[in-house]
Amino acid sequence: MLQAQGTNQPFLETLSLILQDELDRRQSRLIERRYQQSGLEEKLTFAEFDWSFNPKLPRQACFQLQTLAFIAAGENALLIGKPGTGKSHIAKAIAYQAIRQSHKVQYIETDDFFQRHALSPAAQREVRLRNIIDCDLLVLDDLFLSRTIPDDAGALLQALIHQRYKLHRSVIVTSNRVVQDWGAYLNDNTMSTTILDRLMHHCHLLEFDGRSYRLKHAAETLARETKSN
Ligand SMILES: Nc1ncnc2c1ncn2[C@@H]1O[C@H](COP(=O)(O)OP(=O)(O)OP(=O)(O)O)[C@@H](O)[C@H]1O
Ligand SMILES: [Mg+2]
């Protein structure tokens, strides 16, 4: 009804701009808060990724994941392959994209989490676990980086995957260990099968084959230093 009053038009337009501005500010504060709570330590995107460096990478499947349709569908993604090929970069970029789309995300450096988890106070542990189970997207980065995980960490991993599976909530796992060896790293083949069975039920499998970007950097630095000496 107010809109019908012609004389109020400039006032209403200004009011609407102020409201929109306030809504935008609230939205970016929410996104920043979600980022702070996610455990991510860098805001990576696909823009910094050089797809020409390793032409065999599953580029299309990565962009497909970046649409976040897999989160709505409750699907998982397993990014497996050689060290330094960008698995963690892509997982972090998808996680950050999900945060920008207002999703709740938990990012975990898996080894570090399992080491610290057992040592942290019970109340803190409970809050963290609840967030990990409830969030829209869980990223377990660099699983089995140190080849073995503490004894009770295997059971914890199994419980987390099982809970999220029951709730149809998405998990991204990155690892440079082939799934056939997970039983050995867990020291329990049945547990490995139980975990993989749930993870892979509705899953995008991406293989990262190629050269290490870290070594490229190291080689370039070495070449520069040799030249300047
Ligand atoms: N194609 C690329 N373009 C730009 N940066 C890249 C590319 N591939 C990797 N990087 C960078 O190289 C570093 C190592 O990549 P990343 O940690 O994603 O590798 P990874 O596959 O997870 O390795 P790992 O198996 O050892 O965990 C990161 O800083 C990442 O941003
Ligand atoms: Mg990694």
Side-chain angles (χ1 to χ4, degrees), residues 28-53:
S28 37
R29 275 206 300 266
L30 174 74
I31 288 173
E32 191 53 32
R33 201 163 55 239
R34 293 254 161 101
Y35 170 71
Q36 297 298 341
Q37 291 165 345
S38 69
L40 273 177
E41 281 175 357
E42 48 190 339
K43 296 176 178 175
L44 287 179
T45 70
F46 277 27
E48 303 94 37
F49 202 79
D50 176 5
W51 295 95
S52 65
F53 183 67

PDB file of all heavy atoms in Angstrom, residues 28-53:
ATOM      1  N   SER A  28      27.430 -11.454   5.065  1.00  0.00           N
ATOM      2  CA  SER A  28      28.880 -11.640   5.049  1.00  0.00           C
ATOM      3  C   SER A  28      29.429 -11.900   6.452  1.00  0.00           C
ATOM      4  O   SER A  28      30.417 -12.629   6.588  1.00  0.00           O
ATOM      5  CB  SER A  28      29.640 -10.498   4.348  1.00  0.00           C
ATOM      6  OG  SER A  28      29.054  -9.288   4.598  1.00  0.00           O
ATOM      7  N   ARG A  29      28.771 -11.355   7.483  1.00  0.00           N
ATOM      8  CA  ARG A  29      29.209 -11.679   8.850  1.00  0.00           C
ATOM      9  C   ARG A  29      28.971 -13.160   9.152  1.00  0.00           C
ATOM     10  O   ARG A  29      29.795 -13.823   9.748  1.00  0.00           O
ATOM     11  CB  ARG A  29      28.472 -10.810   9.875  1.00  0.00           C
ATOM     12  CG  ARG A  29      29.128  -9.439  10.092  1.00  0.00           C
ATOM     13  CD  ARG A  29      28.800  -8.901  11.478  1.00  0.00           C
ATOM     14  NE  ARG A  29      27.369  -8.747  11.665  1.00  0.00           N
ATOM     15  CZ  ARG A  29      26.683  -7.619  11.459  1.00  0.00           C
ATOM     16  NH1 ARG A  29      27.316  -6.541  11.043  1.00  0.00           N
ATOM     17  NH2 ARG A  29      25.386  -7.549  11.646  1.00  0.00           N
ATOM     18  N   LEU A  30      27.814 -13.668   8.693  1.00  0.00           N
ATOM     19  CA  LEU A  30      27.490 -15.091   8.895  1.00  0.00           C
ATOM     20  C   LEU A  30      28.524 -15.973   8.197  1.00  0.00           C
ATOM     21  O   LEU A  30      29.028 -16.947   8.771  1.00  0.00           O
ATOM     22  CB  LEU A  30      26.091 -15.401   8.352  1.00  0.00           C
ATOM     23  CG  LEU A  30      25.693 -16.875   8.372  1.00  0.00           C
ATOM     24  CD1 LEU A  30      25.381 -17.336   9.790  1.00  0.00           C
ATOM     25  CD2 LEU A  30      24.492 -17.146   7.468  1.00  0.00           C
ATOM     26  N   ILE A  31      28.859 -15.604   6.961  1.00  0.00           N
ATOM     27  CA  ILE A  31      29.824 -16.403   6.200  1.00  0.00           C
ATOM     28  C   ILE A  31      31.194 -16.369   6.886  1.00  0.00           C
ATOM     29  O   ILE A  31      31.855 -17.402   7.016  1.00  0.00           O
ATOM     30  CB  ILE A  31      29.903 -15.892   4.741  1.00  0.00           C
ATOM     31  CG1 ILE A  31      28.607 -16.290   4.033  1.00  0.00           C
ATOM     32  CG2 ILE A  31      31.115 -16.443   4.009  1.00  0.00           C
ATOM     33  CD1 ILE A  31      28.448 -15.730   2.656  1.00  0.00           C
ATOM     34  N   GLU A  32      31.600 -15.195   7.348  1.00  0.00           N
ATOM     35  CA  GLU A  32      32.894 -15.082   8.047  1.00  0.00           C
ATOM     36  C   GLU A  32      32.882 -15.939   9.317  1.00  0.00           C
ATOM     37  O   GLU A  32      33.843 -16.639   9.619  1.00  0.00           O
ATOM     38  CB  GLU A  32      33.180 -13.607   8.367  1.00  0.00           C
ATOM     39  CG  GLU A  32      34.584 -13.314   8.851  1.00  0.00           C
ATOM     40  CD  GLU A  32      35.697 -13.846   7.941  1.00  0.00           C
ATOM     41  OE1 GLU A  32      35.517 -13.907   6.710  1.00  0.00           O
ATOM     42  OE2 GLU A  32      36.758 -14.224   8.478  1.00  0.00           O
ATOM     43  N   ARG A  33      31.750 -15.933  10.043  1.00  0.00           N
ATOM     44  CA  ARG A  33      31.651 -16.740  11.261  1.00  0.00           C
ATOM     45  C   ARG A  33      31.742 -18.235  10.930  1.00  0.00           C
ATOM     46  O   ARG A  33      32.450 -18.991  11.570  1.00  0.00           O
ATOM     47  CB  ARG A  33      30.336 -16.425  11.981  1.00  0.00           C
ATOM     48  CG  ARG A  33      30.363 -16.792  13.445  1.00  0.00           C
ATOM     49  CD  ARG A  33      29.265 -16.144  14.260  1.00  0.00           C
ATOM     50  NE  ARG A  33      27.930 -16.411  13.745  1.00  0.00           N
ATOM     51  CZ  ARG A  33      27.071 -15.465  13.348  1.00  0.00           C
ATOM     52  NH1 ARG A  33      27.423 -14.197  13.410  1.00  0.00           N
ATOM     53  NH2 ARG A  33      25.872 -15.770  12.894  1.00  0.00           N
ATOM     54  N   ARG A  34      31.017 -18.617   9.870  1.00  0.00           N
ATOM     55  CA  ARG A  34      31.060 -20.039   9.456  1.00  0.00           C
ATOM     56  C   ARG A  34      32.489 -20.444   9.067  1.00  0.00           C
ATOM     57  O   ARG A  34      32.921 -21.557   9.354  1.00  0.00           O
ATOM     58  CB  ARG A  34      30.119 -20.257   8.262  1.00  0.00           C
ATOM     59  CG  ARG A  34      28.653 -20.088   8.618  1.00  0.00           C
ATOM     60  CD  ARG A  34      27.950 -21.443   8.681  1.00  0.00           C
ATOM     61  NE  ARG A  34      26.715 -21.372   9.436  1.00  0.00           N
ATOM     62  CZ  ARG A  34      25.509 -21.300   8.891  1.00  0.00           C
ATOM     63  NH1 ARG A  34      25.360 -21.295   7.590  1.00  0.00           N
ATOM     64  NH2 ARG A  34      24.440 -21.268   9.655  1.00  0.00           N
ATOM     65  N   TYR A  35      33.180 -19.507   8.405  1.00  0.00           N
ATOM     66  CA  TYR A  35      34.578 -19.783   8.017  1.00  0.00           C
ATOM     67  C   TYR A  35      35.437 -19.983   9.274  1.00  0.00           C
ATOM     68  O   TYR A  35      36.192 -20.956   9.370  1.00  0.00           O
ATOM     69  CB  TYR A  35      35.127 -18.647   7.149  1.00  0.00           C
ATOM     70  CG  TYR A  35      36.617 -18.751   6.915  1.00  0.00           C
ATOM     71  CD1 TYR A  35      37.144 -19.735   6.085  1.00  0.00           C
ATOM     72  CD2 TYR A  35      37.511 -17.888   7.555  1.00  0.00           C
ATOM     73  CE1 TYR A  35      38.518 -19.860   5.905  1.00  0.00           C
ATOM     74  CE2 TYR A  35      38.871 -18.001   7.374  1.00  0.00           C
ATOM     75  CZ  TYR A  35      39.369 -18.986   6.541  1.00  0.00           C
ATOM     76  OH  TYR A  35      40.733 -19.113   6.368  1.00  0.00           O
ATOM     77  N   GLN A  36      35.295 -19.078  10.248  1.00  0.00           N
ATOM     78  CA  GLN A  36      36.088 -19.161  11.481  1.00  0.00           C
ATOM     79  C   GLN A  36      35.808 -20.473  12.223  1.00  0.00           C
ATOM     80  O   GLN A  36      36.700 -21.046  12.818  1.00  0.00           O
ATOM     81  CB  GLN A  36      35.768 -17.994  12.426  1.00  0.00           C
ATOM     82  CG  GLN A  36      36.104 -16.619  11.879  1.00  0.00           C
ATOM     83  CD  GLN A  36      37.585 -16.435  11.604  1.00  0.00           C
ATOM     84  OE1 GLN A  36      38.406 -17.173  12.131  1.00  0.00           O
ATOM     85  NE2 GLN A  36      37.925 -15.482  10.746  1.00  0.00           N
ATOM     86  N   GLN A  37      34.558 -20.944  12.164  1.00  0.00           N
ATOM     87  CA  GLN A  37      34.194 -22.160  12.901  1.00  0.00           C
ATOM     88  C   GLN A  37      34.553 -23.444  12.147  1.00  0.00           C
ATOM     89  O   GLN A  37      34.449 -24.532  12.689  1.00  0.00           O
ATOM     90  CB  GLN A  37      32.683 -22.166  13.184  1.00  0.00           C
ATOM     91  CG  GLN A  37      32.260 -21.104  14.184  1.00  0.00           C
ATOM     92  CD  GLN A  37      30.762 -20.856  14.199  1.00  0.00           C
ATOM     93  OE1 GLN A  37      30.048 -21.274  13.283  1.00  0.00           O
ATOM     94  NE2 GLN A  37      30.281 -20.161  15.211  1.00  0.00           N
ATOM     95  N   SER A  38      34.922 -23.288  10.871  1.00  0.00           N
ATOM     96  CA  SER A  38      35.074 -24.485  10.029  1.00  0.00           C
ATOM     97  C   SER A  38      36.380 -25.241  10.275  1.00  0.00           C
ATOM     98  O   SER A  38      36.485 -26.426   9.965  1.00  0.00           O
ATOM     99  CB  SER A  38      35.026 -24.097   8.549  1.00  0.00           C
ATOM    100  OG  SER A  38      36.197 -23.365   8.213  1.00  0.00           O
ATOM    101  N   GLY A  39      37.397 -24.529  10.800  1.00  0.00           N
ATOM    102  CA  GLY A  39      38.702 -25.169  10.951  1.00  0.00           C
ATOM    103  C   GLY A  39      39.589 -24.962   9.731  1.00  0.00           C
ATOM    104  O   GLY A  39      40.772 -25.315   9.744  1.00  0.00           O
ATOM    105  N   LEU A  40      39.051 -24.358   8.666  1.00  0.00           N
ATOM    106  CA  LEU A  40      39.882 -24.046   7.494  1.00  0.00           C
ATOM    107  C   LEU A  40      40.854 -22.947   7.882  1.00  0.00           C
ATOM    108  O   LEU A  40      40.483 -22.030   8.619  1.00  0.00           O
ATOM    109  CB  LEU A  40      39.016 -23.541   6.345  1.00  0.00           C
ATOM    110  CG  LEU A  40      38.378 -24.530   5.380  1.00  0.00           C
ATOM    111  CD1 LEU A  40      37.508 -23.772   4.394  1.00  0.00           C
ATOM    112  CD2 LEU A  40      39.407 -25.363   4.636  1.00  0.00           C
ATOM    113  N   GLU A  41      42.078 -23.036   7.344  1.00  0.00           N
ATOM    114  CA  GLU A  41      43.034 -21.972   7.696  1.00  0.00           C
ATOM    115  C   GLU A  41      43.378 -21.108   6.503  1.00  0.00           C
ATOM    116  O   GLU A  41      44.190 -20.185   6.596  1.00  0.00           O
ATOM    117  CB  GLU A  41      44.279 -22.590   8.310  1.00  0.00           C
ATOM    118  CG  GLU A  41      44.011 -22.954   9.764  1.00  0.00           C
ATOM    119  CD  GLU A  41      45.129 -23.675  10.441  1.00  0.00           C
ATOM    120  OE1 GLU A  41      46.152 -23.968   9.792  1.00  0.00           O
ATOM    121  OE2 GLU A  41      44.968 -23.973  11.644  1.00  0.00           O
ATOM    122  N   GLU A  42      42.812 -21.409   5.352  1.00  0.00           N
ATOM    123  CA  GLU A  42      43.035 -20.555   4.185  1.00  0.00           C
ATOM    124  C   GLU A  42      41.815 -20.587   3.279  1.00  0.00           C
ATOM    125  O   GLU A  42      41.107 -21.590   3.208  1.00  0.00           O
ATOM    126  CB  GLU A  42      44.307 -20.957   3.422  1.00  0.00           C
ATOM    127  CG  GLU A  42      44.414 -22.439   3.150  1.00  0.00           C
ATOM    128  CD  GLU A  42      45.764 -22.869   2.615  1.00  0.00           C
ATOM    129  OE1 GLU A  42      46.514 -22.031   2.081  1.00  0.00           O
ATOM    130  OE2 GLU A  42      46.048 -24.067   2.712  1.00  0.00           O
ATOM    131  N   LYS A  43      41.609 -19.436   2.612  1.00  0.00           N
ATOM    132  CA  LYS A  43      40.450 -19.322   1.723  1.00  0.00           C
ATOM    133  C   LYS A  43      40.892 -19.630   0.302  1.00  0.00           C
ATOM    134  O   LYS A  43      41.148 -18.719  -0.482  1.00  0.00           O
ATOM    135  CB  LYS A  43      39.859 -17.919   1.827  1.00  0.00           C
ATOM    136  CG  LYS A  43      39.301 -17.605   3.211  1.00  0.00           C
ATOM    137  CD  LYS A  43      38.806 -16.181   3.300  1.00  0.00           C
ATOM    138  CE  LYS A  43      38.204 -15.931   4.678  1.00  0.00           C
ATOM    139  NZ  LYS A  43      37.809 -14.538   4.902  1.00  0.00           N
ATOM    140  N   LEU A  44      41.027 -20.909   0.002  1.00  0.00           N
ATOM    141  CA  LEU A  44      41.486 -21.290  -1.339  1.00  0.00           C
ATOM    142  C   LEU A  44      40.304 -21.355  -2.303  1.00  0.00           C
ATOM    143  O   LEU A  44      39.182 -21.647  -1.896  1.00  0.00           O
ATOM    144  CB  LEU A  44      42.172 -22.652  -1.301  1.00  0.00           C
ATOM    145  CG  LEU A  44      43.560 -22.703  -0.657  1.00  0.00           C
ATOM    146  CD1 LEU A  44      44.096 -24.118  -0.679  1.00  0.00           C
ATOM    147  CD2 LEU A  44      44.522 -21.767  -1.378  1.00  0.00           C
ATOM    148  N   THR A  45      40.593 -21.088  -3.565  1.00  0.00           N
ATOM    149  CA  THR A  45      39.556 -21.236  -4.600  1.00  0.00           C
ATOM    150  C   THR A  45      40.154 -21.971  -5.808  1.00  0.00           C
ATOM    151  O   THR A  45      41.367 -22.228  -5.847  1.00  0.00           O
ATOM    152  CB  THR A  45      39.020 -19.858  -5.074  1.00  0.00           C
ATOM    153  OG1 THR A  45      40.053 -19.224  -5.812  1.00  0.00           O
ATOM    154  CG2 THR A  45      38.572 -18.990  -3.921  1.00  0.00           C
ATOM    155  N   PHE A  46      39.302 -22.242  -6.787  1.00  0.00           N
ATOM    156  CA  PHE A  46      39.790 -22.880  -8.013  1.00  0.00           C
ATOM    157  C   PHE A  46      40.615 -21.882  -8.839  1.00  0.00           C
ATOM    158  O   PHE A  46      41.378 -22.275  -9.708  1.00  0.00           O
ATOM    159  CB  PHE A  46      38.613 -23.376  -8.866  1.00  0.00           C
ATOM    160  CG  PHE A  46      38.075 -24.722  -8.436  1.00  0.00           C
ATOM    161  CD1 PHE A  46      38.189 -25.152  -7.122  1.00  0.00           C
ATOM    162  CD2 PHE A  46      37.442 -25.555  -9.357  1.00  0.00           C
ATOM    163  CE1 PHE A  46      37.686 -26.387  -6.724  1.00  0.00           C
ATOM    164  CE2 PHE A  46      36.944 -26.790  -8.980  1.00  0.00           C
ATOM    165  CZ  PHE A  46      37.063 -27.216  -7.655  1.00  0.00           C
ATOM    166  N   ALA A  47      40.433 -20.580  -8.573  1.00  0.00           N
ATOM    167  CA  ALA A  47      41.095 -19.551  -9.388  1.00  0.00           C
ATOM    168  C   ALA A  47      42.616 -19.655  -9.302  1.00  0.00           C
ATOM    169  O   ALA A  47      43.319 -19.360 -10.267  1.00  0.00           O
ATOM    170  CB  ALA A  47      40.636 -18.163  -8.948  1.00  0.00           C
ATOM    171  N   GLU A  48      43.139 -20.099  -8.127  1.00  0.00           N
ATOM    172  CA  GLU A  48      44.603 -20.173  -7.982  1.00  0.00           C
ATOM    173  C   GLU A  48      45.150 -21.500  -8.534  1.00  0.00           C
ATOM    174  O   GLU A  48      46.350 -21.735  -8.450  1.00  0.00           O
ATOM    175  CB  GLU A  48      45.029 -20.103  -6.500  1.00  0.00           C
ATOM    176  CG  GLU A  48      44.575 -18.886  -5.731  1.00  0.00           C
ATOM    177  CD  GLU A  48      43.281 -19.140  -5.001  1.00  0.00           C
ATOM    178  OE1 GLU A  48      43.088 -20.250  -4.502  1.00  0.00           O
ATOM    179  OE2 GLU A  48      42.454 -18.209  -4.955  1.00  0.00           O
ATOM    180  N   PHE A  49      44.291 -22.349  -9.013  1.00  0.00           N
ATOM    181  CA  PHE A  49      44.730 -23.688  -9.414  1.00  0.00           C
ATOM    182  C   PHE A  49      45.106 -23.711 -10.897  1.00  0.00           C
ATOM    183  O   PHE A  49      44.339 -23.270 -11.748  1.00  0.00           O
ATOM    184  CB  PHE A  49      43.626 -24.707  -9.126  1.00  0.00           C
ATOM    185  CG  PHE A  49      44.123 -26.111  -8.990  1.00  0.00           C
ATOM    186  CD1 PHE A  49      44.723 -26.538  -7.812  1.00  0.00           C
ATOM    187  CD2 PHE A  49      44.014 -27.000 -10.046  1.00  0.00           C
ATOM    188  CE1 PHE A  49      45.201 -27.827  -7.678  1.00  0.00           C
ATOM    189  CE2 PHE A  49      44.488 -28.297  -9.929  1.00  0.00           C
ATOM    190  CZ  PHE A  49      45.080 -28.714  -8.744  1.00  0.00           C
ATOM    191  N   ASP A  50      46.307 -24.221 -11.188  1.00  0.00           N
ATOM    192  CA  ASP A  50      46.790 -24.272 -12.570  1.00  0.00           C
ATOM    193  C   ASP A  50      46.473 -25.665 -13.148  1.00  0.00           C
ATOM    194  O   ASP A  50      47.202 -26.622 -12.902  1.00  0.00           O
ATOM    195  CB  ASP A  50      48.306 -24.006 -12.571  1.00  0.00           C
ATOM    196  CG  ASP A  50      48.912 -24.145 -13.950  1.00  0.00           C
ATOM    197  OD1 ASP A  50      48.154 -24.353 -14.925  1.00  0.00           O
ATOM    198  OD2 ASP A  50      50.150 -24.048 -14.055  1.00  0.00           O
ATOM    199  N   TRP A  51      45.405 -25.740 -13.924  1.00  0.00           N
ATOM    200  CA  TRP A  51      44.952 -27.036 -14.444  1.00  0.00           C
ATOM    201  C   TRP A  51      45.892 -27.579 -15.513  1.00  0.00           C
ATOM    202  O   TRP A  51      45.876 -28.771 -15.815  1.00  0.00           O
ATOM    203  CB  TRP A  51      43.525 -26.936 -15.001  1.00  0.00           C
ATOM    204  CG  TRP A  51      42.544 -26.626 -13.932  1.00  0.00           C
ATOM    205  CD1 TRP A  51      42.062 -25.400 -13.579  1.00  0.00           C
ATOM    206  CD2 TRP A  51      41.945 -27.563 -13.008  1.00  0.00           C
ATOM    207  NE1 TRP A  51      41.206 -25.510 -12.506  1.00  0.00           N
ATOM    208  CE2 TRP A  51      41.111 -26.819 -12.142  1.00  0.00           C
ATOM    209  CE3 TRP A  51      42.033 -28.938 -12.840  1.00  0.00           C
ATOM    210  CZ2 TRP A  51      40.369 -27.418 -11.119  1.00  0.00           C
ATOM    211  CZ3 TRP A  51      41.303 -29.539 -11.823  1.00  0.00           C
ATOM    212  CH2 TRP A  51      40.473 -28.787 -10.983  1.00  0.00           C
ATOM    213  N   SER A  52      46.738 -26.699 -16.085  1.00  0.00           N
ATOM    214  CA  SER A  52      47.617 -27.175 -17.154  1.00  0.00           C
ATOM    215  C   SER A  52      48.827 -27.931 -16.568  1.00  0.00           C
ATOM    216  O   SER A  52      49.499 -28.658 -17.287  1.00  0.00           O
ATOM    217  CB  SER A  52      48.094 -25.996 -18.015  1.00  0.00           C
ATOM    218  OG  SER A  52      48.891 -25.148 -17.226  1.00  0.00           O
ATOM    219  N   PHE A  53      49.090 -27.752 -15.260  1.00  0.00           N
ATOM    220  CA  PHE A  53      50.277 -28.387 -14.677  1.00  0.00           C
ATOM    221  C   PHE A  53      50.176 -29.913 -14.699  1.00  0.00           C
ATOM    222  O   PHE A  53      51.147 -30.596 -15.008  1.00  0.00           O
ATOM    223  CB  PHE A  53      50.500 -27.877 -13.247  1.00  0.00           C
ATOM    224  CG  PHE A  53      51.739 -28.439 -12.622  1.00  0.00           C
ATOM    225  CD1 PHE A  53      52.994 -28.100 -13.103  1.00  0.00           C
ATOM    226  CD2 PHE A  53      51.662 -29.341 -11.559  1.00  0.00           C
ATOM    227  CE1 PHE A  53      54.146 -28.634 -12.538  1.00  0.00           C
ATOM    228  CE2 PHE A  53      52.813 -29.887 -10.995  1.00  0.00           C
ATOM    229  CZ  PHE A  53      54.049 -29.527 -11.488  1.00  0.00           C
TER     230      PHE A  53
END
